Amino acid sequence: MSPSLADIDWQRPWLAHWREQGLQLQASPDWLAAINEVASARGLTNARGLPLRFVAQDSLPPDTGYEAFIHEHGQVPTRDNLHDFFNGLAWLRFPQIKRTLNALQAAEIQRRLAMPSAGGSRGRQRDAATLFDENAALFICSDPVLIEALRAHDWPVVLQQRAGDFGRCCELELFGHALIEKLVHPYKAITAHAWVMAVEPSWFALGEAERRTEIDRRLAMQLQAGFTSADFTPLPVLGVPNWWPDQDAAFYADTSVFRAKRIRYAS
């Protein structure tokens, strides 16, 4: 087991959805081989229908982009570290979202290559897809009031006054593998790019497996239509009720973390 994987505390509340699969892979003497066994058993593919396989990082040619390589070959270059371990887990948990993000990034790479004037620019769609892939958290909510409070950065409403509603009409699920990597050694200021997923009230009566499948299906469909970085809203993840000790009034009063929304003035 890689020494870095030994640092994961699977009892952290934000890892609840990832715990079972993560522990299984962590227990394997070769987690890269183990993750390929799971991917093969589930018939996972990339957007082109190619079987998804996790391969050593040196399989990526030096002149080929990471996302383009995955899209072209169905192979995910993978290092033995926390970052790529959580990336692999994300592919197993949300394969439709992951292949949609990969397809969007690969298409943008091709589009920019065909534009001589683009230079080294990545493009807005590729930047947004990377933000989602690396740092997104899914705010799943059936209450429009809470959704609007989140978008307004009304932290007292979302995280304090309505704390008891987490698990009943809203929840936060992590997605971005860089975000989860940072939370292995958590600190108060870690902030996710929250993506709002509005659901019906009956959502919270569903079982965990059914929720996961529906999240994967619904969000993949949403993302296929395209999105930008403006579609996210920041959320300090350790402010989620019961995700951190000592969440008292002073904790939430820290405006360096729980920041007010910037007012944009028309020019």
Side-chain angles (χ1 to χ4, degrees), residues 228-247:
T228 71
S229 301
D231 293 321
F232 299 102
T233 189
L235 176 58
V237 293
L238 295 184
V240 172
N242 302 313
W243 276 23
W244 197 245
D246 303 320
Q247 289 178 325

Side-chain angles (χ1 to χ4, degrees), residues 41-42 55 67 81 85 95 111-112 120 123 128 132-133 141 146-147 159 161 169 177 187 192 204-205 227-228 262 267:
R42 296 181 185 177
V55 298
E67 296 293 345
N81 61 22
F85 177 75
R111 192 178 75 85
R112 307 298 287 189
F132 197 110
D133 197 29
C141 186
L146 271 175
I147 291 173
L159 302 176
Q161 297 169 21
C169 67
H177 53 283
Y187 53 92
F204 294 93
F227 61 101
T228 71
R262 292 181 182 178
S267 56

Side-chain angles (χ1 to χ4, degrees), residues 10 12 35 44-45 51 71 81 88 105 113 125 146 169 183 185-186 194 207 243:
W10 291 107
R12 297 288 196 179
I35 206 169
L44 300 190
T45 66
H71 186 69
N81 61 22
Q105 291 172 310
L113 287 174
Q125 180 61 89
L146 271 175
C169 67
L183 283 162
H185 299 288
W243 276 23

Side-chain angles (χ1 to χ4, degrees), residues 49-69:
L50 297 173
L52 193 73
R53 297 292 178 267
F54 296 84
V55 298
Q57 180 68 24
D58 58 13
S59 299
L60 178 66
D63 59 345
T64 303
Y66 172 81
E67 296 293 345
F69 184 78

Side-chain angles (χ1 to χ4, degrees), residues 6-76:
D7 292 342
I8 303 171
D9 180 358
W10 291 107
Q11 298 310 308
R12 297 288 196 179
W14 52 82
L15 289 176
H17 297 301
W18 302 73
R19 185 177 299 133
E20 183 177 359
Q21 186 73 81
L23 283 168
Q24 290 174 4
L25 294 181
Q26 189 187 53
S28 172
D30 183 349
W31 66 262
L32 188 61
I35 206 169
N36 276 319
E37 288 181 9
V38 178
S40 178
R42 296 181 185 177
L44 300 190
T45 66
N46 72 355
R48 298 179 63 227
L50 297 173
L52 193 73
R53 297 292 178 267
F54 296 84
V55 298
Q57 180 68 24
D58 58 13
S59 299
L60 178 66
D63 59 345
T64 303
Y66 172 81
E67 296 293 345
F69 184 78
I70 297 172
H71 186 69
E72 182 66 24
H73 300 284
Q75 299 179 3
V76 182

Side-chain angles (χ1 to χ4, degrees), residues 92-188:
L92 297 185
R93 184 162 178 79
F94 296 117
Q96 293 187 60
I97 298 174
K98 289 289 284 186
R99 63 175 170 250
T100 297
L101 291 171
N102 177 243
L104 287 171
Q105 291 172 310
E108 184 65 13
I109 290 169
Q110 285 300 115
R111 192 178 75 85
R112 307 298 287 189
L113 287 174
M115 297 171 57
S117 61
S121 175
R122 289 169 45 88
R124 294 176 66 192
Q125 180 61 89
R126 191 177 173 199
D127 284 343
T130 299
L131 278 178
F132 197 110
D133 197 29
E134 298 278 348
N135 203 57
L138 313 178
F139 186 76
I140 303 162
C141 186
S142 63
D143 186 341
V145 173
L146 271 175
I147 291 173
E148 288 308 307
L150 173 69
R151 288 175 169 154
H153 300 188
D154 192 342
W155 308 121
V157 168
V158 178
L159 302 176
Q160 295 174 273
Q161 297 169 21
R162 300 289 300 273
D165 287 325
F166 276 77
R168 295 195 304 176
C169 67
C170 69
E171 64 179 341
L172 191 76
E173 172 153 1
L174 305 185
F175 178 89
H177 53 283
L179 173 65
I180 302 173
E181 179 190 13
K182 284 186 285 189
L183 283 162
V184 170
H185 299 288
Y187 53 92
K188 185 178 178 181

